[in-house]
Amino acid sequence: MEKENDNPFRDGLVNRAVAEPCALVIFGATGDLTRRKLIPALYNLAADGNLPSGLAVVCFARRDKTSEGFREELGEAARKYSRRPVNDELWSRFAANIFYHRSSFDDPAGYASLGKELESLEARLGTRGNRLFYLASSPTEFDVILENLRSSGLSHAQPGAWARLIVEKPFGTDLPSAHRLNEAVAAAFPEDETFRIDHYLGKETAQNLMVLRFANTVFEALWNHRYVENVQITASEPLGVETRAGYYEQSGALRDMVQNHLLQLLCLTAMEPPTDLSADAVRDEKVKVLRALRPLTGKSVAENVVRAQYTAGFINGSDVPGYREEPGVAPDSKTETYVALRLHIDNWRWAGVPFFVRVGKRLPKSGTEIAIQFRPTPPVLFNRESQLQDANALVIRIQPDEGISFRMAAKMPGALLQIEPVKMDFHYGTSFGKATPEAYERLLLDAMSGDATLFARRDEVEHAWSFIDGIRKAWQDGEAPRLDFYPAGTWGPREADELLAQDGATWRRL
Ligand code: BG6
């Protein structure tokens, strides 16, 4: 019997750019990001055969270390953080191309010697003169590194090769600082060689959002104010501030998570279909969403934003301290560890549909999801007493247990007419039977192949900051001064429930 073709899609659709040989230079490589994320991601790419044959990783940092010693440290980290067990032989081959370059960030001699080292690696390892510079240091060093890359000539592409920049978050702390940083970046690298990281864009389900919407007929037809009652985007973490109080005290949940990750998810959910799949076409559509976001300023912040901080509580079977008792946190800190917002996108598609966004630390469960809550059926037949209020919901689980589920009403078996919600559920793990790559794997690969689709463009970052700054200004000016509290291990403050109740809605249970 002829085998049925179970793949109805064109092979061309799996077409993807190929990572090119290059030297990856990581500034601030002794930090956590390199050991927890970047090196494990590169190792897994190597194990999947996705790395280019000519690749050198140069770790640029201040501490006194040797390449051999640093490789060992990274090997331990890879064993701890890699998503697949580390194979000793593969690790040794991979690690042989990691080099430690010791220098302070402001010493021109360190950049001159980096240039020499890159030339020698290019000749030895076949990296073809391509250079990918990764700013993974403290953001306070970004300016000086960029200035030195520019003045040393390292940021200029060599003939027939490219020079690219990856910038880790946070990209500024407000609009003026993001704008200044953008200027410093632009003085050294062209925009199309600049890759601003938002690791949420590298998550498999975030990427799947576009496929769900634009490769299926049924969903997009309903994806508008006529059928959608509200949209809920949640990012919940049981973790507290951990060892990051120094950063988090200055940042808070609004700047740490909403300005970047959650606004990106909002854009992917709300944007119009792009004209094609090029980086700029997709990013043009995301920018349009940000421009249509109704600004929250002054009094409207008090009406639409809840900010809160966790107090002592009980989570995963243990007592945990309140935020103000965490090491490095001021005893009267006003930093928010939770924020819930009601947003409106004032365009044709979304007029009148509230987008509820919430993010918090020390919540009961780890989970990031986007829920499209559809309007109820008319109040006739089965919905005469409005008992089917929230029958249909499409939930996109970004993490963990990546997948998509659709909730609908069904009749319970039996003589009685009893209607219950049931779920159609798609799980990545079981449907595709393979592990989901980490976001950094995809993002590093894309930067090596020059595809900026999953990176934030300059105007995107600035629009997002402009929106966030309006909220922060109202908080600072005392126009929306209230900080609410919630015990660790609960789903946030009562005020966040009241925010939804005003629209007759409730938060989804994760
Ligand atoms: C980071 C934030 O960008 O994202 C952290 O700085 C947060 O505070 C983290 O914990 C969450 O990322 P993930 O991938 O674990 O959801």
Side-chain angles (χ1 to χ4, degrees):
M1 203 175 80
E2 208 182 329
K3 187 177 177 301
E4 199 180 345
N5 180 7
D6 58 1
N7 175 9
F9 300 107
R10 279 185 296 124
D11 286 347
L13 286 176
V14 291
N15 175 21
R16 74 154 18 203
V18 174
E20 294 172 59
C22 62
L24 167 65
V25 182
I26 306 174
F27 290 94
T30 47
D32 248 17
L33 183 76
T34 305
R35 71 186 65 234
R36 279 177 188 255
K37 298 286 182 190
L38 303 184
I39 293 294
L42 288 167
Y43 172 77
N44 280 288
L45 286 171
D48 284 331
N50 279 333
L51 285 185
S53 56
L55 177 76
V57 181
V58 180
C59 297
F60 187 116
R62 286 173 289 208
R63 288 183 222 169
D64 192 11
K65 291 181 190 288
T66 61
S67 290
E68 292 70 32
F70 198 48
R71 282 178 197 139
E72 264 180 42
E73 278 181 42
L74 295 178
E76 272 170 41
R79 284 182 182 82
K80 195 156 162 203
Y81 299 114
S82 164
R83 70 178 164 88
R84 58 149 68 77
V86 168
N87 169 298
D88 288 339
E89 202 220 310
L90 178 61
W91 170 261
S92 309
R93 271 193 284 139
F94 166 73
N97 291 350
I98 302 179
F99 306 90
Y100 190 80
H101 185 86
R102 183 187 171 206
S103 170
S104 68
F105 297 126
D106 59 357
D107 180 7
Y111 293 81
S113 55
L114 173 66
K116 295 235 158 50
E117 186 169 355
L118 290 177
E119 278 168 27
S120 111
L121 289 173
E122 275 152 21
R124 211 147 52 77
L125 298 179
T127 57
R128 304 221 190 124
N130 295 325
R131 295 164 179 185
L132 181 55
F133 299 103
Y134 197 130
L135 301 189
S137 63
S138 147
T140 52
E141 310 285 358
F142 287 179
D143 278 336
V144 71
I145 298 171
L146 285 166
E147 172 49 26
N148 276 286
L149 283 174
R150 195 189 60 75
S151 57
S152 63
L154 286 169
S155 61
H156 297 298
Q158 308 179 83
W162 46 256
R164 289 188 189 133
L165 178 74
I166 303 183
V167 191
E168 194 40 64
K169 75 168 274 249
F171 198 94
T173 53
D174 53 15
L175 177 58
S177 61
H179 184 74
R180 273 196 306 277
L181 180 54
N182 272 327
E183 293 292 302
V185 167
F189 293 87
E191 178 64 26
D192 59 0
E193 298 290 17
T194 301
F195 295 73
R196 294 174 191 79
I197 290 262
D198 186 311
H199 78 281
Y200 268 53
L201 289 178
K203 292 185 190 271
E204 198 63 43
T205 324
Q207 296 167 47
N208 200 22
L209 249 173
M210 277 219 283
V211 177
L212 173 82
R213 292 189 53 194
F214 307 131
N216 292 293
T217 313
V218 287
F219 302 121
E220 194 52 23
L222 306 175
W223 213 264
N224 58 54
H225 66 94
R226 280 180 218 98
Y227 298 100
V228 176
E229 178 94 336
N230 65 61
V231 177
Q232 297 188 17
I233 305 181
T234 300
S236 136
E237 287 183 286
L239 290 181
V241 67
E242 309 290 287
T243 52
R244 297 166 74 219
Y247 155 74
Y248 201 81
E249 273 282 88
Q250 301 305 316
S251 155
L254 186 70
R255 291 194 277 188
D256 184 45
M257 293 287 288
V258 181
Q259 185 274 337
N260 37 60
H261 310 325
L262 294 192
L263 285 185
Q264 285 290 345
L265 294 181
L266 175 98
C267 287
L268 289 172
T269 309
M271 72 183 193
E272 296 301 315
T275 46
D276 56 51
L277 293 175
S278 66
D280 272 336
V282 172
R283 297 188 295 181
D284 285 348
E285 295 309 328
K286 290 200 289 169
V287 167
K288 284 190 210 159
V289 174
L290 293 171
R291 290 176 57 187
L293 257 188
R294 189 181 300 167
L296 289 176
T297 52
K299 296 261 180 295
S300 68
V301 174
E303 286 152 20
N304 293 291
V305 184
V306 173
R307 64 168 166 156
Q309 192 184 74
Y310 63 81
T311 55
F314 190 72
I315 205 160
N316 289 340
S318 326
D319 289 320
V320 294
Y323 179 71
R324 290 178 177 177
E325 286 111 55
E326 302 271 20
V329 172
D332 59 350
S333 170
K334 298 225 161 33
T335 302
E336 79 286 357
T337 59
Y338 175 100
V339 57
L341 308 98
R342 173 176 35 219
L343 307 177
H344 278 100
I345 299 169
D346 288 329
N347 64 14
W348 193 267
R349 184 189 286 263
W350 293 116
V353 179
F355 281 68
F356 299 114
V357 170
R358 66 178 158 164
V359 56
K361 292 206 182 279
R362 286 286 190 229
L363 300 187
K365 245 174 126 174
S366 169
T368 303
E369 64 161 49
I370 300 166
I372 314 291
Q373 182 69 57
F374 290 95
R375 289 191 186 283
T377 51
V380 291
L381 305 179
F382 302 118
N383 198 20
R384 254 176 311 174
E385 276 136 42
S386 299
Q387 68 272 45
L388 300 181
Q389 274 294 350
D390 54 6
N392 288 153
L394 183 71
V395 178
I396 299 130
R397 292 186 303 274
I398 307 288
Q399 61 187 20
D401 184 22
E402 292 88 343
I404 298 171
S405 69
F406 182 65
R407 188 180 59 193
M408 58 189 186
K411 179 186 168 299
M412 282 250 285
L416 284 178
L417 179 62
Q418 193 175 341
I419 298 176
E420 286 293 323
V422 293
K423 266 205 269 180
M424 293 202 287
D425 219 348
F426 149 63
H427 297 261
Y428 261 77
T430 44
S431 295
F432 292 116
K434 59 180 188 183
T436 312
E438 289 269 337
Y440 277 95
E441 294 175 41
R442 174 65 196 262
L443 296 176
L444 283 165
L445 209 53
D446 282 4
M448 287 180 201
S449 63
D451 182 352
T453 313
L454 301 179
F455 296 83
R457 201 168 60 187
R458 176 178 182 153
D459 50 349
E460 238 176 304
V461 170
E462 294 194 8
H463 276 297
W465 273 123
S466 156
F467 178 75
I468 294 296
D469 283 359
I471 300 174
R472 290 193 54 247
K473 181 162 184 311
W475 286 352
Q476 278 157 6
D477 293 352
E479 284 175 292
R482 211 176 61 199
L483 177 70
D484 299 313
F485 295 91
Y486 60 102
T490 63
W491 280 108
R494 183 173 42 84
E495 288 74 6
D497 297 335
E498 289 165 6
L499 181 73
L500 268 71
Q502 292 161 10
D503 287 284
T506 50
W507 290 109
R508 263 183 45 79
R509 279 187 73 124
L510 258 68

